[in-house]
Amino acid sequence: MRWIPALTAPLALIVTVPAAAAVYFTTEQAQQAMFPGASFAQVPLQLTDQQRRTMYDRSGVHEPFKSDRVWRVSTGGYFVIDEVVGKHERIKYAVAIGSDGAIKQIEIMEYRESYGYEVRELSWRQQFVGKSASSPLKLDGDIKNIGGATLSCKHITDGVKRVLAMYEVALRHSS
Amino acid sequence: MNRYCARLVNALLTLATVLLVAVPARAGEGPFAFIYTLDLQPKGTFQFEQWEYLQAGQSQGDYLFLTNRSEIEYGFKNWFQIGLYINTEYTYAYQNGVDGTTGGPGTNIDPNSDPFSPYSSFRFKSISFENIVRLMNPYTDAFGFGLYFEPAIGPYGYELEWKFLFQKNFLDDRLVLAANIVLETEQEWRSGTTEYASVIDTIIGASYRFADKWSLGVEARNHREFSGQAFNSPEHSAYFIGPTIHYSSEKWWATLGWRHQLPWTQAFNDDQQSVIVNGQIFGGEHAGDEIMLRVGIPFKLPWR
């Protein structure tokens, strides 16, 4: 078989394209960005099967929720880290919940997708501020979609809804 | 392959090289080797994609038929993607026919030459223009649905291809079920004759993302070919099935798929029946195995 050298060019390109990390916040950086000057105490949270089922029923998110990433904030409220499925890897984000149970802020901590970086823009994240467990939190409903970033928008929206469901079933009455 | 074609292919690859080293990457790709999904390029973004499609093995002898497709895709809208392909073919055949003669798909043999001698060629096949419109989004609607249209023309014939694309996702979009219904009509000029054919392909598949960046799936195809360009009378129906593995990252992705022809072929006339061996059809139609490698490298123009 006669090989055509030109056809090997794309493979050479793949090897030479550098990878880029996209870690925007460590845990400590996110905590201080969302609750400046506060101290944080990790919550020894152990979710029951019933609580996890409620979280799934409300959000539809299958990705397991890691309950060891919840902190009580000295100035009131909670700081929660969660992950949802992205196009290629998982998207790591943080949610700041105020003492009234409403979202104070969300931040994208790690994002390694080819596109959809618009979810980091303040205008999109700002839509979540003030939302609570009783909010619809539905893409193309009370949360606007970003064309070309639909998968990320959808999964982050569902993820935040799950975090609020977790707050409702496990944290609200322990405050 | 003549000098003009070689220059054309090299020019496309050079263009891709220049663009890729200059700009950050963006992407949109599906997890299947043969099935189109509704993951289109976001508006204003490009992707270079290389296909290597190998059909190998007939009833006896040696047979390889490699189709190379070099493509630039562009997201015209978030729901509308266009693409321009350059298609080339490499064929090697030697006494692979059911009767021991040399032939098969991709061959263009002079009828006056020795039918038992080896044959090889590399040739420019065609240029094709792909259009995909996504009417329903699998991430926000109950299921995904889209239309595909691709005309292709070259020195050995032309093809018109329509596809209906279906997609349904489950489990946080890790599990993707997809189907394509493909209608194709073609006119091919080879071996001193003109052949008219039309095709209905039904391709279904499932793919599961079992780890970050990695998906594993299966794809199955029913291929029904008809004489004439208007699905005039059925020629044969053949079945293929095999696994697919997909790797994707921020900068590039690759998919490798293999389909084996199952011994379930039905022939609808004597000519077609004569090239079926152990339930598989060969002749000028098919090989025993189909292997597809697709590599995609998204990019964005530096001035956008």
Side-chain angles (χ1 to χ4, degrees):
Chain A
M1 180 172 174
R2 185 162 53 95
W3 294 100
I4 308 303
L7 297 177
T8 62
L11 296 176
L13 287 170
I14 292 164
V15 175
T16 57
V17 174
V23 177
Y24 301 105
F25 290 98
T26 63
T27 298
E28 292 73 22
Q29 288 170 340
Q31 288 174 334
Q32 290 308 313
M34 300 168 94
F35 293 98
S39 59
F40 298 83
Q42 194 163 13
V43 177
L45 189 63
Q46 291 200 336
L47 295 168
T48 64
D49 289 345
Q50 180 59 45
Q51 287 172 323
R52 287 189 179 275
R53 197 170 302 119
T54 302
M55 289 164 62
Y56 169 74
D57 289 343
R58 292 191 186 181
S59 66
V61 178
H62 288 84
E63 183 73 8
F65 179 80
K66 296 179 181 174
S67 58
D68 59 350
R69 296 192 293 194
V70 178
W71 288 261
R72 180 175 283 116
V73 185
S74 62
T75 53
Y78 289 91
F79 173 85
V80 182
I81 291 176
D82 191 22
E83 289 181 11
V84 288
V85 174
K87 176 75 175 171
H88 306 128
E89 300 190 48
R90 274 164 289 184
I91 302 167
K92 189 174 183 180
Y93 64 102
V95 180
I97 301 173
S99 52
D100 59 351
I103 287 181
K104 183 173 173 289
Q105 188 176 346
I106 73 166
E107 288 288 352
I108 308 301
M109 297 176 67
E110 295 180 20
Y111 194 90
R112 295 184 176 87
E113 303 303 312
S114 302
Y115 59 94
Y117 283 81
E118 297 90 338
V119 296
R120 293 189 61 237
E121 290 177 3
L122 179 62
S123 59
W124 191 76
R125 292 183 290 110
Q126 198 72 15
Q127 299 180 92
F128 292 89
V129 174
K131 302 291 184 187
S132 67
S134 60
S135 302
L137 275 172
K138 184 167 175 53
L139 194 64
D140 285 333
D142 56 337
I143 302 295
K144 288 181 182 169
N145 188 20
I146 301 170
T150 301
L151 184 146
S152 297
C153 290
K154 177 190 165 194
H155 288 183
I156 292 171
T157 301
D158 291 343
V160 172
K161 192 171 178 67
R162 180 172 69 166
V163 168
L164 287 170
M166 182 276 298
Y167 170 83
E168 181 76 7
V169 300
L171 299 178
R172 183 179 167 196
H173 299 294
S174 65
S175 299
Chain B
M1 179 179 179
N2 63 39
R3 188 172 298 172
Y4 172 75
C5 296
R7 284 179 182 168
L8 202 58
V9 171
N10 279 314
L12 183 73
L13 295 172
T14 304
L15 173 65
T17 305
V18 170
L19 294 170
L20 288 164
V21 297
V23 296
R26 296 169 72 87
E29 92 284 338
F32 297 104
F34 299 93
I35 297 174
Y36 275 79
T37 63
L38 293 156
D39 296 284
L40 307 184
Q41 285 299 117
K43 180 182 176 184
T45 66
F46 291 83
Q47 177 168 260
F48 172 76
E49 192 172 325
Q50 182 69 30
W51 294 32
E52 299 298 325
Y53 174 40
L54 178 67
Q55 294 170 268
Q58 288 207 315
S59 59
Q60 59 180 320
D62 299 322
Y63 180 73
L64 291 174
F65 179 32
L66 180 67
T67 303
N68 316 289
R69 304 190 77 177
S70 301
E71 181 194 19
I72 298 290
E73 294 176 343
Y74 174 67
F76 197 73
K77 300 281 186 183
N78 285 320
W79 48 268
F80 179 30
Q81 175 181 299
I82 57 175
L84 186 67
Y85 290 85
I86 293 177
N87 307 302
T88 58
E89 294 176 340
Y90 172 81
T91 312
Y92 177 77
Y94 181 51
Q95 297 184 356
N96 54 305
V98 173
D99 58 359
T101 59
T102 296
T107 59
N108 188 19
I109 296 172
D110 182 345
N112 298 317
S113 65
D114 177 3
F116 296 97
S117 61
Y119 171 90
S120 71
S121 67
F122 185 87
R123 65 182 188 176
F124 167 70
K125 182 189 178 190
S126 62
I127 289 178
S128 45
F129 180 55
E130 168 190 281
N131 301 266
I132 308 176
V133 175
R134 183 177 59 214
L135 301 172
M136 295 173 67
N137 192 326
Y139 300 116
T140 54
D141 297 317
F143 63 93
F145 174 64
L147 301 173
Y148 176 108
F149 174 62
E150 180 195 314
I153 188 160
Y156 303 99
Y158 71 84
E159 294 176 3
L160 297 175
E161 191 173 286
W162 296 265
K163 293 182 182 175
F164 298 92
L165 315 179
F166 300 91
Q167 182 179 347
K168 177 69 178 171
N169 295 357
F170 299 92
L171 303 175
D172 297 353
D173 300 304
R174 285 178 181 272
L175 175 62
V176 180
L177 306 184
N180 293 171
I181 297 172
V182 184
L183 307 178
E184 187 180 325
T185 178
E186 63 185 32
Q187 187 177 130
E188 189 176 9
W189 312 310
R190 64 169 180 158
S191 303
T193 62
T194 299
E195 294 183 4
Y196 304 93
S198 41
V199 169
I200 299 176
D201 266 15
T202 304
I203 319 171
I204 59 172
S207 177
Y208 182 70
R209 203 175 100 184
F210 62 93
D212 283 350
K213 302 183 177 181
W214 289 95
S215 297
L216 193 61
V218 62
E219 297 180 61
R221 171 195 187 199
N222 171 237
H223 166 87
R224 302 179 74 86
E225 190 157 329
F226 301 79
S227 62
Q229 288 185 281
F231 309 94
N232 303 49
S233 59
E235 295 265 300
H236 63 265
S237 172
Y239 295 85
F240 299 79
I241 193 168
T244 296
I245 189 161
H246 173 69
Y247 173 85
S248 60
S249 70
E250 183 185 354
K251 300 293 185 187
W252 65 280
W253 58 266
T255 307
L256 180 65
W258 166 52
R259 293 191 303 206
H260 181 68
Q261 188 184 161
L262 299 172
W264 300 348
T265 301
Q266 295 171 278
F268 300 109
N269 59 51
D270 290 344
D271 281 350
Q272 298 287 301
Q273 189 64 49
S274 68
V275 290
I276 290 180
V277 177
N278 296 328
Q280 295 177 303
I281 190 165
F282 300 109
E285 311 295 343
H286 296 287
D289 292 283
E290 302 177 340
I291 297 167
M292 173 76 88
L293 173 66
R294 293 168 65 179
V295 178
I297 306 174
F299 64 92
K300 190 177 174 186
L301 293 175
W303 56 85
R304 290 178 67 103

